[in-house]
PDB file of all heavy atoms in Angstrom:
ATOM      1  N   THR C   2      -0.602 -17.652   5.092  1.00  0.00           N
ATOM      2  CA  THR C   2       0.716 -17.055   5.002  1.00  0.00           C
ATOM      3  C   THR C   2       0.742 -15.782   5.811  1.00  0.00           C
ATOM      4  O   THR C   2      -0.278 -15.160   6.055  1.00  0.00           O
ATOM      5  CB  THR C   2       1.061 -16.725   3.543  1.00  0.00           C
ATOM      6  OG1 THR C   2       0.014 -15.920   3.022  1.00  0.00           O
ATOM      7  CG2 THR C   2       1.200 -17.996   2.744  1.00  0.00           C
ATOM      8  N   GLY C   4       2.233 -11.898   6.730  1.00  0.00           N
ATOM      9  CA  GLY C   4       2.821 -10.721   6.114  1.00  0.00           C
ATOM     10  C   GLY C   4       4.033 -10.177   6.820  1.00  0.00           C
ATOM     11  O   GLY C   4       4.687  -9.304   6.302  1.00  0.00           O
ATOM     12  N   ALA C   8       9.467 -12.749   8.662  1.00  0.00           N
ATOM     13  CA  ALA C   8      10.643 -11.921   8.446  1.00  0.00           C
ATOM     14  C   ALA C   8      11.147 -11.354   9.769  1.00  0.00           C
ATOM     15  O   ALA C   8      12.346 -11.291  10.005  1.00  0.00           O
ATOM     16  CB  ALA C   8      10.308 -10.793   7.481  1.00  0.00           C
ATOM     17  N   GLN C  52       9.825  12.331  10.039  1.00  0.00           N
ATOM     18  CA  GLN C  52       9.626  11.600  11.302  1.00  0.00           C
ATOM     19  C   GLN C  52       8.473  10.602  11.183  1.00  0.00           C
ATOM     20  O   GLN C  52       8.547   9.490  11.704  1.00  0.00           O
ATOM     21  CB  GLN C  52       9.348  12.578  12.452  1.00  0.00           C
ATOM     22  CG  GLN C  52      10.529  13.476  12.822  1.00  0.00           C
ATOM     23  CD  GLN C  52      11.759  12.707  13.301  1.00  0.00           C
ATOM     24  OE1 GLN C  52      11.695  11.515  13.576  1.00  0.00           O
ATOM     25  NE2 GLN C  52      12.888  13.387  13.372  1.00  0.00           N
ATOM     26  N   ARG C  57       6.908   4.915  10.557  1.00  0.00           N
ATOM     27  CA  ARG C  57       6.313   3.836   9.774  1.00  0.00           C
ATOM     28  C   ARG C  57       7.364   2.788   9.403  1.00  0.00           C
ATOM     29  O   ARG C  57       7.116   1.587   9.434  1.00  0.00           O
ATOM     30  CB  ARG C  57       5.694   4.445   8.517  1.00  0.00           C
ATOM     31  CG  ARG C  57       4.802   3.479   7.790  1.00  0.00           C
ATOM     32  CD  ARG C  57       4.016   4.210   6.733  1.00  0.00           C
ATOM     33  NE  ARG C  57       3.311   3.260   5.913  1.00  0.00           N
ATOM     34  CZ  ARG C  57       2.946   3.479   4.666  1.00  0.00           C
ATOM     35  NH1 ARG C  57       3.223   4.613   4.095  1.00  0.00           N
ATOM     36  NH2 ARG C  57       2.301   2.562   3.991  1.00  0.00           N
ATOM     37  N   ARG C  60       8.041   0.563  12.309  1.00  0.00           N
ATOM     38  CA  ARG C  60       7.016  -0.461  12.519  1.00  0.00           C
ATOM     39  C   ARG C  60       7.110  -1.574  11.478  1.00  0.00           C
ATOM     40  O   ARG C  60       6.752  -2.704  11.738  1.00  0.00           O
ATOM     41  CB  ARG C  60       5.624   0.179  12.469  1.00  0.00           C
ATOM     42  CG  ARG C  60       5.321   1.085  13.631  1.00  0.00           C
ATOM     43  CD  ARG C  60       3.849   1.443  13.699  1.00  0.00           C
ATOM     44  NE  ARG C  60       3.394   2.214  12.560  1.00  0.00           N
ATOM     45  CZ  ARG C  60       3.480   3.529  12.454  1.00  0.00           C
ATOM     46  NH1 ARG C  60       4.030   4.229  13.437  1.00  0.00           N
ATOM     47  NH2 ARG C  60       3.025   4.166  11.402  1.00  0.00           N
ATOM     48  N   LYS C  61       7.579  -1.218  10.289  1.00  0.00           N
ATOM     49  CA  LYS C  61       7.622  -2.198   9.205  1.00  0.00           C
ATOM     50  C   LYS C  61       9.023  -2.757   8.975  1.00  0.00           C
ATOM     51  O   LYS C  61       9.264  -3.444   7.992  1.00  0.00           O
ATOM     52  CB  LYS C  61       7.142  -1.538   7.909  1.00  0.00           C
ATOM     53  CG  LYS C  61       5.704  -1.095   7.969  1.00  0.00           C
ATOM     54  CD  LYS C  61       5.324  -0.329   6.745  1.00  0.00           C
ATOM     55  CE  LYS C  61       5.537  -1.158   5.505  1.00  0.00           C
ATOM     56  NZ  LYS C  61       5.073  -0.476   4.294  1.00  0.00           N
TER      57      LYS C  61
ATOM     58  N   GLN Q 153       0.454  -6.070   3.057  1.00  0.00           N
ATOM     59  CA  GLN Q 153       0.122  -4.658   2.911  1.00  0.00           C
ATOM     60  C   GLN Q 153      -0.133  -4.400   1.434  1.00  0.00           C
ATOM     61  O   GLN Q 153       0.790  -4.234   0.646  1.00  0.00           O
ATOM     62  CB  GLN Q 153       1.246  -3.779   3.425  1.00  0.00           C
ATOM     63  CG  GLN Q 153       0.809  -2.340   3.586  1.00  0.00           C
ATOM     64  CD  GLN Q 153       1.698  -1.587   4.561  1.00  0.00           C
ATOM     65  OE1 GLN Q 153       2.869  -1.409   4.288  1.00  0.00           O
ATOM     66  NE2 GLN Q 153       1.160  -1.149   5.666  1.00  0.00           N
ATOM     67  N   ALA Q 156      -0.686  -0.111   0.721  1.00  0.00           N
ATOM     68  CA  ALA Q 156       0.386   0.784   1.166  1.00  0.00           C
ATOM     69  C   ALA Q 156      -0.046   1.715   2.297  1.00  0.00           C
ATOM     70  O   ALA Q 156       0.523   2.767   2.487  1.00  0.00           O
ATOM     71  CB  ALA Q 156       0.943   1.606   0.003  1.00  0.00           C
ATOM     72  N   ASP Q 158      -0.831   1.887   6.522  1.00  0.00           N
ATOM     73  CA  ASP Q 158      -0.475   1.133   7.725  1.00  0.00           C
ATOM     74  C   ASP Q 158      -1.518   0.071   8.047  1.00  0.00           C
ATOM     75  O   ASP Q 158      -2.718   0.296   7.920  1.00  0.00           O
ATOM     76  CB  ASP Q 158      -0.353   2.087   8.914  1.00  0.00           C
ATOM     77  CG  ASP Q 158       1.034   2.675   8.970  1.00  0.00           C
ATOM     78  OD1 ASP Q 158       1.871   2.271   8.147  1.00  0.00           O
ATOM     79  OD2 ASP Q 158       1.276   3.523   9.830  1.00  0.00           O
ATOM     80  N   GLU Q 215       5.918  -0.459  -1.912  1.00  0.00           N
ATOM     81  CA  GLU Q 215       5.717   0.324  -0.700  1.00  0.00           C
ATOM     82  C   GLU Q 215       4.658   1.396  -0.901  1.00  0.00           C
ATOM     83  O   GLU Q 215       3.991   1.798   0.050  1.00  0.00           O
ATOM     84  CB  GLU Q 215       7.033   0.966  -0.268  1.00  0.00           C
ATOM     85  CG  GLU Q 215       8.014  -0.001   0.325  1.00  0.00           C
ATOM     86  CD  GLU Q 215       7.403  -0.806   1.458  1.00  0.00           C
ATOM     87  OE1 GLU Q 215       6.651  -0.237   2.266  1.00  0.00           O
ATOM     88  OE2 GLU Q 215       7.658  -2.024   1.519  1.00  0.00           O
ATOM     89  N   TYR Q 265       4.555  -9.428  -0.337  1.00  0.00           N
ATOM     90  CA  TYR Q 265       5.110 -10.071   0.835  1.00  0.00           C
ATOM     91  C   TYR Q 265       3.997 -10.685   1.669  1.00  0.00           C
ATOM     92  O   TYR Q 265       3.073 -10.014   2.094  1.00  0.00           O
ATOM     93  CB  TYR Q 265       5.871  -9.040   1.670  1.00  0.00           C
ATOM     94  CG  TYR Q 265       6.634  -9.663   2.805  1.00  0.00           C
ATOM     95  CD1 TYR Q 265       7.897 -10.197   2.582  1.00  0.00           C
ATOM     96  CD2 TYR Q 265       6.093  -9.740   4.071  1.00  0.00           C
ATOM     97  CE1 TYR Q 265       8.596 -10.785   3.602  1.00  0.00           C
ATOM     98  CE2 TYR Q 265       6.788 -10.323   5.104  1.00  0.00           C
ATOM     99  CZ  TYR Q 265       8.045 -10.839   4.874  1.00  0.00           C
ATOM    100  OH  TYR Q 265       8.717 -11.426   5.879  1.00  0.00           O
ATOM    101  N   GLY Q 266       4.060 -11.977   1.885  1.00  0.00           N
ATOM    102  CA  GLY Q 266       3.037 -12.654   2.667  1.00  0.00           C
ATOM    103  C   GLY Q 266       2.010 -13.383   1.824  1.00  0.00           C
ATOM    104  O   GLY Q 266       1.260 -14.195   2.340  1.00  0.00           O
TER     105      GLY Q 266
END
Side-chain angles (χ1 to χ4, degrees):
Chain C
T2 54
Q52 293 299 348
R57 192 169 172 206
R60 291 193 296 274
K61 296 174 58 175
Chain Q
Q153 193 158 65
D158 274 356
E215 287 307 320
Y265 188 84

